[in-house]
């Protein structure tokens, strides 16, 4: 299997009033195409920091990171924005959908940004939402969706551009157990069908145990759980 994402010895410290805090202390990780990996770890262990670096939203202090052969540690802002839009899908704990837009329009946005026609964007988005059992919710704004439905729309928005990898930071953290399982199932099924790699940060060992691999971030390094 081809490697989508490769990290070597990623380090990151934050300067605080009380000195420097070493959050990532040599993180190594290889993710293959279509692989579904969970990252677990105590609150404050650096999971979000790691996803920000992978997502080109923050720089590492040192180390190597390659996404589809692109070195993502030394990108210009414009190049980073292009890589983000083309190759990475983000899902967060809150859905972050645009409140004024319908479910369909929210999912269409990344395609329109990538230069697709309105018609193509609309067709692809409707198809994806239908596969996520939201075919009857296309015209609903986020306020008129349940928590689970809104998060499934966020899954569709993250996947619609066919990214190489999805970075999901506690995507089910705001949902009750049953809805969390439902959203997780939807994400898993769709990503497997599309052969999209996924890194999901979760507090739930129940959900983590349903992935291919569980990694624990502890003392700034990733280890097999
Ligand atoms: P997690 O997502 O595992 O809960 P984070 O990656 O959010 O952990 O945070 C890891 C550590 O880094 C925490 O101690 C946090 O306070 C610190 N931290 C995160 N972002 C910053 C920042 N921008 N400035 C200073 N410290 C930060
Ligand atoms: Mg976090």
């Amino acid at each position: 299997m081809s490697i989508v994402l490769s990290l070597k010895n990623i380090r990151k410290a934050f300067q605080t009033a009380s000195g420097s805090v070493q959050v990532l202390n040599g993180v190594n990780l290889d993710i293959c195409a279509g692989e579904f990996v969970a990252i677990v770890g105590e609150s404050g262990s650096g999971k979000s920091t790691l996803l920000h670096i992978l997502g080109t939203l923050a720089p590492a202090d040192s180390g190597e990171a390659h996404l589809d052969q692109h070195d993502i540690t030394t990108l210009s802002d414009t190049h980073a924005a292009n890589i983000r839009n083309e190759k990475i899908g983000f899902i967060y704990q809150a859905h972050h959908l645009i409140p004024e837009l319908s479910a369909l329009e929210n999912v269409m946005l990344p395609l329109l940004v990538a230069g697709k026609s309105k018609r193509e964007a609309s067709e692809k988005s409707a198809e994806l939402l239908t596969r996520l059992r939201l075919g009857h919710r296309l015209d609903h704004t986020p306020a008129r969706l349940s928590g689970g439905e809104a998060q499934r729309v966020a899954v569709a928005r993250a996947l619609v551009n066919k990214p190489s990898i999805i970075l999901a930071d506690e995507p089910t953290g705001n949902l009750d157990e049953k809805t969390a399982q439902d959203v997780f199932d939807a994400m898993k099924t769709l990503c497997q069908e599309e052969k999209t790699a996924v890194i999901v940060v979760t507090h739930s060992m129940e959900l983590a145990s349903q992935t291919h691999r569980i990694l624990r971030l502890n003392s700034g390094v990733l280890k097999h759980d």
Side-chain angles (χ1 to χ4, degrees):
M1 265 292 205
S2 61
I3 290 179
V4 175
L5 179 77
S6 173
L7 303 182
K8 287 197 177 63
N9 215 12
I10 292 289
R11 297 169 62 85
K12 177 82 178 178
F14 289 112
Q15 312 308 324
T16 65
S18 49
S20 171
V21 180
Q22 192 70 40
V23 177
L24 303 177
N25 209 359
V27 170
N28 294 296
L29 178 64
D30 283 329
I31 305 264
C32 293
E35 208 183 0
F36 193 13
V37 175
I39 294 182
V40 300
E42 301 279 294
S43 187
S45 59
K47 305 180 297 297
S48 294
T49 302
L50 180 60
L51 288 199
H52 287 155
I53 293 171
L54 302 186
T56 75
L57 297 166
D61 295 336
S62 62
E64 291 174 36
H66 287 88
L67 177 62
D68 280 346
Q69 266 87 57
H70 296 270
D71 179 348
I72 56 168
T73 48
T74 54
L75 296 173
S76 68
D77 286 352
T78 316
H79 196 180
N82 287 341
I83 295 255
R84 272 201 299 280
N85 195 45
E86 256 179 52
K87 298 192 174 292
I88 309 175
F90 294 92
I91 308 172
Y92 298 98
Q93 187 163 352
H95 57 67
H96 293 302
L97 298 173
I98 297 178
E100 293 81 11
L101 299 184
S102 69
L104 183 70
E105 290 164 337
N106 267 285
V107 179
M108 285 169 66
L109 261 188
L111 291 171
L112 296 177
V113 170
K116 305 286 186 222
S117 71
K118 232 178 163 176
R119 179 179 172 161
E120 185 182 348
S122 168
E123 283 174 5
K124 282 196 169 150
S125 303
E127 192 246 359
L128 203 50
L129 285 165
T130 303
R131 280 163 67 194
L132 283 158
R133 296 179 286 113
L134 290 165
H136 59 312
R137 293 284 185 268
L138 301 184
D139 297 330
H140 286 225
T141 53
R144 294 173 58 221
L145 298 171
S146 71
E149 286 173 341
Q151 208 55 333
R152 296 212 303 283
V153 175
V155 170
R157 180 186 53 183
L159 263 168
V160 75
N161 256 350
K162 298 196 176 295
S164 305
I165 193 161
I166 298 266
L167 303 176
D169 198 349
E170 312 213 23
T172 60
N174 276 349
L175 306 173
D176 65 71
E177 211 175 306
K178 185 167 168 293
T179 310
Q181 182 66 60
D182 181 53
V183 169
F184 196 82
D185 286 343
M187 195 169 97
K188 186 172 170 184
T189 306
L190 214 58
C191 291
Q192 300 286 276
E193 285 171 8
E194 300 289 323
K195 298 187 176 53
T196 311
V198 183
I199 299 181
V200 60
V201 166
T202 179
H203 273 120
S204 162
M205 283 312 285
E206 167 74 27
L207 294 179
S209 67
Q210 299 167 39
T211 65
H212 296 138
R213 220 161 22 122
I214 306 178
L215 299 167
R216 181 171 293 276
L217 188 55
N218 189 14
S219 304
V221 294
L222 270 183
K223 291 203 180 108
H224 284 281
D225 202 48

mmCIF file of all heavy atoms in Angstrom, residues 168-196:
data_model
loop_
_atom_site.group_PDB
_atom_site.id
_atom_site.type_symbol
_atom_site.label_atom_id
_atom_site.label_comp_id
_atom_site.label_asym_id
_atom_site.label_seq_id
_atom_site.Cartn_x
_atom_site.Cartn_y
_atom_site.Cartn_z
ATOM 1 N N ALA A 168 -9.649 14.281 11.767
ATOM 2 C CA ALA A 168 -10.868 14.487 12.545
ATOM 3 C C ALA A 168 -10.505 14.616 14.023
ATOM 4 O O ALA A 168 -9.986 13.676 14.621
ATOM 5 C CB ALA A 168 -11.828 13.324 12.323
ATOM 6 N N ASP A 169 -10.735 15.816 14.584
ATOM 7 C CA ASP A 169 -10.363 16.078 15.980
ATOM 8 C C ASP A 169 -11.600 15.975 16.863
ATOM 9 O O ASP A 169 -12.406 16.890 16.917
ATOM 10 C CB ASP A 169 -9.723 17.469 16.083
ATOM 11 C CG ASP A 169 -8.926 17.641 17.372
ATOM 12 O OD1 ASP A 169 -9.039 16.765 18.267
ATOM 13 O OD2 ASP A 169 -8.202 18.643 17.490
ATOM 14 N N GLU A 170 -11.756 14.851 17.528
ATOM 15 C CA GLU A 170 -12.912 14.553 18.374
ATOM 16 C C GLU A 170 -14.231 14.835 17.653
ATOM 17 O O GLU A 170 -15.076 15.576 18.168
ATOM 18 C CB GLU A 170 -12.828 15.368 19.675
ATOM 19 C CG GLU A 170 -11.441 15.258 20.287
ATOM 20 C CD GLU A 170 -11.438 15.293 21.800
ATOM 21 O OE1 GLU A 170 -12.480 14.968 22.382
ATOM 22 O OE2 GLU A 170 -10.394 15.621 22.370
ATOM 23 N N PRO A 171 -14.422 14.229 16.466
ATOM 24 C CA PRO A 171 -15.592 14.568 15.646
ATOM 25 C C PRO A 171 -16.917 14.188 16.290
ATOM 26 O O PRO A 171 -17.949 14.713 15.899
ATOM 27 C CB PRO A 171 -15.367 13.753 14.366
ATOM 28 C CG PRO A 171 -14.522 12.608 14.784
ATOM 29 C CD PRO A 171 -13.622 13.155 15.862
ATOM 30 N N THR A 172 -16.890 13.284 17.268
ATOM 31 C CA THR A 172 -18.155 12.870 17.887
ATOM 32 C C THR A 172 -18.227 13.321 19.345
ATOM 33 O O THR A 172 -19.092 12.879 20.092
ATOM 34 C CB THR A 172 -18.324 11.337 17.813
ATOM 35 O OG1 THR A 172 -17.232 10.722 18.514
ATOM 36 C CG2 THR A 172 -18.306 10.843 16.375
ATOM 37 N N GLY A 173 -17.314 14.221 19.728
ATOM 38 C CA GLY A 173 -17.215 14.640 21.128
ATOM 39 C C GLY A 173 -18.437 15.349 21.677
ATOM 40 O O GLY A 173 -18.651 15.370 22.890
ATOM 41 N N ASN A 174 -19.245 15.940 20.787
ATOM 42 C CA ASN A 174 -20.436 16.675 21.251
ATOM 43 C C ASN A 174 -21.704 15.832 21.209
ATOM 44 O O ASN A 174 -22.780 16.353 21.483
ATOM 45 C CB ASN A 174 -20.682 17.896 20.349
ATOM 46 C CG ASN A 174 -19.851 19.089 20.765
ATOM 47 O OD1 ASN A 174 -19.248 19.075 21.834
ATOM 48 N ND2 ASN A 174 -19.814 20.105 19.929
ATOM 49 N N LEU A 175 -21.582 14.566 20.832
ATOM 50 C CA LEU A 175 -22.792 13.774 20.556
ATOM 51 C C LEU A 175 -23.014 12.713 21.628
ATOM 52 O O LEU A 175 -22.061 12.229 22.246
ATOM 53 C CB LEU A 175 -22.657 13.090 19.191
ATOM 54 C CG LEU A 175 -22.343 14.015 18.004
ATOM 55 C CD1 LEU A 175 -22.057 13.183 16.751
ATOM 56 C CD2 LEU A 175 -23.493 14.984 17.756
ATOM 57 N N ASP A 176 -24.276 12.320 21.824
ATOM 58 C CA ASP A 176 -24.538 11.214 22.744
ATOM 59 C C ASP A 176 -23.996 9.924 22.127
ATOM 60 O O ASP A 176 -23.680 9.880 20.933
ATOM 61 C CB ASP A 176 -26.043 11.108 23.042
ATOM 62 C CG ASP A 176 -26.841 10.739 21.810
ATOM 63 O OD1 ASP A 176 -26.740 9.582 21.354
ATOM 64 O OD2 ASP A 176 -27.538 11.621 21.262
ATOM 65 N N GLU A 177 -23.905 8.899 22.941
ATOM 66 C CA GLU A 177 -23.202 7.675 22.543
ATOM 67 C C GLU A 177 -23.756 7.060 21.257
ATOM 68 O O GLU A 177 -23.010 6.667 20.363
ATOM 69 C CB GLU A 177 -23.313 6.661 23.685
ATOM 70 C CG GLU A 177 -22.140 5.716 23.799
ATOM 71 C CD GLU A 177 -22.284 4.834 25.041
ATOM 72 O OE1 GLU A 177 -22.449 5.370 26.147
ATOM 73 O OE2 GLU A 177 -22.260 3.612 24.855
ATOM 74 N N LYS A 178 -25.078 6.996 21.183
ATOM 75 C CA LYS A 178 -25.713 6.330 20.039
ATOM 76 C C LYS A 178 -25.478 7.144 18.756
ATOM 77 O O LYS A 178 -25.125 6.594 17.705
ATOM 78 C CB LYS A 178 -27.211 6.170 20.319
ATOM 79 C CG LYS A 178 -27.958 5.391 19.282
ATOM 80 C CD LYS A 178 -29.343 4.993 19.778
ATOM 81 C CE LYS A 178 -30.204 4.473 18.637
ATOM 82 N NZ LYS A 178 -30.522 5.552 17.662
ATOM 83 N N THR A 179 -25.648 8.466 18.862
ATOM 84 C CA THR A 179 -25.435 9.333 17.692
ATOM 85 C C THR A 179 -23.958 9.333 17.305
ATOM 86 O O THR A 179 -23.625 9.330 16.117
ATOM 87 C CB THR A 179 -25.907 10.769 18.004
ATOM 88 O OG1 THR A 179 -27.221 10.693 18.552
ATOM 89 C CG2 THR A 179 -25.917 11.640 16.776
ATOM 90 N N ALA A 180 -23.083 9.304 18.303
ATOM 91 C CA ALA A 180 -21.639 9.260 18.034
ATOM 92 C C ALA A 180 -21.306 8.013 17.213
ATOM 93 O O ALA A 180 -20.580 8.091 16.218
ATOM 94 C CB ALA A 180 -20.857 9.256 19.346
ATOM 95 N N GLN A 181 -21.865 6.874 17.605
ATOM 96 C CA GLN A 181 -21.611 5.627 16.875
ATOM 97 C C GLN A 181 -22.130 5.736 15.442
ATOM 98 O O GLN A 181 -21.470 5.306 14.489
ATOM 99 C CB GLN A 181 -22.279 4.447 17.600
ATOM 100 C CG GLN A 181 -22.025 3.094 16.946
ATOM 101 C CD GLN A 181 -20.561 2.659 17.002
ATOM 102 O OE1 GLN A 181 -19.995 2.516 18.074
ATOM 103 N NE2 GLN A 181 -19.938 2.479 15.844
ATOM 104 N N ASP A 182 -23.295 6.352 15.297
ATOM 105 C CA ASP A 182 -23.906 6.504 13.984
ATOM 106 C C ASP A 182 -23.034 7.376 13.063
ATOM 107 O O ASP A 182 -22.774 7.024 11.907
ATOM 108 C CB ASP A 182 -25.300 7.125 14.175
ATOM 109 C CG ASP A 182 -26.013 7.306 12.860
ATOM 110 O OD1 ASP A 182 -26.106 6.314 12.117
ATOM 111 O OD2 ASP A 182 -26.433 8.440 12.568
ATOM 112 N N VAL A 183 -22.550 8.505 13.582
ATOM 113 C CA VAL A 183 -21.700 9.405 12.784
ATOM 114 C C VAL A 183 -20.369 8.716 12.464
ATOM 115 O O VAL A 183 -19.861 8.787 11.340
ATOM 116 C CB VAL A 183 -21.461 10.743 13.534
ATOM 117 C CG1 VAL A 183 -20.372 11.568 12.863
ATOM 118 C CG2 VAL A 183 -22.761 11.540 13.613
ATOM 119 N N PHE A 184 -19.841 8.012 13.458
ATOM 120 C CA PHE A 184 -18.581 7.285 13.279
ATOM 121 C C PHE A 184 -18.728 6.230 12.182
ATOM 122 O O PHE A 184 -17.868 6.102 11.302
ATOM 123 C CB PHE A 184 -18.191 6.636 14.608
ATOM 124 C CG PHE A 184 -16.771 6.178 14.674
ATOM 125 C CD1 PHE A 184 -15.748 7.063 14.967
ATOM 126 C CD2 PHE A 184 -16.448 4.855 14.453
ATOM 127 C CE1 PHE A 184 -14.437 6.648 15.035
ATOM 128 C CE2 PHE A 184 -15.135 4.428 14.517
ATOM 129 C CZ PHE A 184 -14.128 5.317 14.810
ATOM 130 N N ASP A 185 -19.836 5.475 12.221
ATOM 131 C CA ASP A 185 -20.108 4.455 11.192
ATOM 132 C C ASP A 185 -20.166 5.088 9.807
ATOM 133 O O ASP A 185 -19.608 4.565 8.839
ATOM 134 C CB ASP A 185 -21.444 3.746 11.461
ATOM 135 C CG ASP A 185 -21.346 2.781 12.634
ATOM 136 O OD1 ASP A 185 -20.219 2.432 13.019
ATOM 137 O OD2 ASP A 185 -22.405 2.397 13.160
ATOM 138 N N ALA A 186 -20.857 6.238 9.723
ATOM 139 C CA ALA A 186 -21.014 6.923 8.433
ATOM 140 C C ALA A 186 -19.652 7.340 7.900
ATOM 141 O O ALA A 186 -19.325 7.139 6.720
ATOM 142 C CB ALA A 186 -21.928 8.135 8.599
ATOM 143 N N MET A 187 -18.834 7.891 8.794
ATOM 144 C CA MET A 187 -17.505 8.353 8.416
ATOM 145 C C MET A 187 -16.650 7.172 7.951
ATOM 146 O O MET A 187 -15.987 7.227 6.918
ATOM 147 C CB MET A 187 -16.872 9.007 9.649
ATOM 148 C CG MET A 187 -15.678 9.837 9.394
ATOM 149 S SD MET A 187 -15.281 10.767 10.884
ATOM 150 C CE MET A 187 -14.037 9.720 11.564
ATOM 151 N N LYS A 188 -16.707 6.096 8.721
ATOM 152 C CA LYS A 188 -15.894 4.923 8.429
ATOM 153 C C LYS A 188 -16.285 4.303 7.079
ATOM 154 O O LYS A 188 -15.430 4.050 6.222
ATOM 155 C CB LYS A 188 -16.065 3.902 9.559
ATOM 156 C CG LYS A 188 -15.158 2.722 9.436
ATOM 157 C CD LYS A 188 -15.232 1.836 10.671
ATOM 158 C CE LYS A 188 -14.506 0.534 10.408
ATOM 159 N NZ LYS A 188 -14.614 -0.400 11.506
ATOM 160 N N THR A 189 -17.578 4.093 6.884
ATOM 161 C CA THR A 189 -18.064 3.467 5.656
ATOM 162 C C THR A 189 -17.657 4.284 4.441
ATOM 163 O O THR A 189 -17.103 3.765 3.469
ATOM 164 C CB THR A 189 -19.607 3.350 5.692
ATOM 165 O OG1 THR A 189 -19.965 2.668 6.888
ATOM 166 C CG2 THR A 189 -20.145 2.604 4.489
ATOM 167 N N LEU A 190 -17.926 5.583 4.513
ATOM 168 C CA LEU A 190 -17.669 6.447 3.357
ATOM 169 C C LEU A 190 -16.174 6.536 3.054
ATOM 170 O O LEU A 190 -15.762 6.483 1.895
ATOM 171 C CB LEU A 190 -18.241 7.835 3.650
ATOM 172 C CG LEU A 190 -18.803 8.569 2.464
ATOM 173 C CD1 LEU A 190 -19.901 7.771 1.796
ATOM 174 C CD2 LEU A 190 -19.348 9.920 2.903
ATOM 175 N N CYS A 191 -15.359 6.665 4.099
ATOM 176 C CA CYS A 191 -13.914 6.769 3.889
ATOM 177 C C CYS A 191 -13.355 5.470 3.322
ATOM 178 O O CYS A 191 -12.460 5.498 2.483
ATOM 179 C CB CYS A 191 -13.202 7.160 5.177
ATOM 180 S SG CYS A 191 -13.572 8.844 5.662
ATOM 181 N N GLN A 192 -13.903 4.331 3.763
ATOM 182 C CA GLN A 192 -13.453 3.044 3.205
ATOM 183 C C GLN A 192 -13.855 2.952 1.734
ATOM 184 O O GLN A 192 -13.073 2.526 0.900
ATOM 185 C CB GLN A 192 -14.066 1.874 3.984
ATOM 186 C CG GLN A 192 -13.688 1.863 5.460
ATOM 187 C CD GLN A 192 -12.258 1.423 5.695
ATOM 188 O OE1 GLN A 192 -11.974 0.252 5.754
ATOM 189 N NE2 GLN A 192 -11.353 2.376 5.822
ATOM 190 N N GLU A 193 -15.088 3.373 1.432
ATOM 191 C CA GLU A 193 -15.547 3.324 0.035
ATOM 192 C C GLU A 193 -14.689 4.211 -0.855
ATOM 193 O O GLU A 193 -14.380 3.865 -1.987
ATOM 194 C CB GLU A 193 -17.018 3.762 -0.051
ATOM 195 C CG GLU A 193 -17.984 2.710 0.454
ATOM 196 C CD GLU A 193 -19.422 3.219 0.564
ATOM 197 O OE1 GLU A 193 -19.709 4.352 0.113
ATOM 198 O OE2 GLU A 193 -20.256 2.478 1.121
ATOM 199 N N GLU A 194 -14.307 5.369 -0.337
ATOM 200 C CA GLU A 194 -13.520 6.331 -1.126
ATOM 201 C C GLU A 194 -12.015 6.067 -1.000
ATOM 202 O O GLU A 194 -11.218 6.774 -1.592
ATOM 203 C CB GLU A 194 -13.815 7.760 -0.651
ATOM 204 C CG GLU A 194 -15.284 8.182 -0.773
ATOM 205 C CD GLU A 194 -15.696 8.384 -2.220
ATOM 206 O OE1 GLU A 194 -14.873 8.877 -3.014
ATOM 207 O OE2 GLU A 194 -16.840 8.034 -2.569
ATOM 208 N N LYS A 195 -11.633 5.093 -0.166
ATOM 209 C CA LYS A 195 -10.220 4.764 0.108
ATOM 210 C C LYS A 195 -9.439 5.978 0.616
ATOM 211 O O LYS A 195 -8.282 6.214 0.256
ATOM 212 C CB LYS A 195 -9.542 4.167 -1.122
ATOM 213 C CG LYS A 195 -10.203 2.861 -1.540
ATOM 214 C CD LYS A 195 -9.456 2.170 -2.652
ATOM 215 C CE LYS A 195 -10.071 0.827 -2.985
ATOM 216 N NZ LYS A 195 -11.531 0.912 -3.268
ATOM 217 N N THR A 196 -10.115 6.750 1.471
ATOM 218 C CA THR A 196 -9.493 7.923 2.071
ATOM 219 C C THR A 196 -8.889 7.533 3.415
ATOM 220 O O THR A 196 -9.556 6.888 4.223
ATOM 221 C CB THR A 196 -10.559 9.015 2.325
ATOM 222 O OG1 THR A 196 -11.309 9.185 1.131
ATOM 223 C CG2 THR A 196 -9.938 10.326 2.733
#
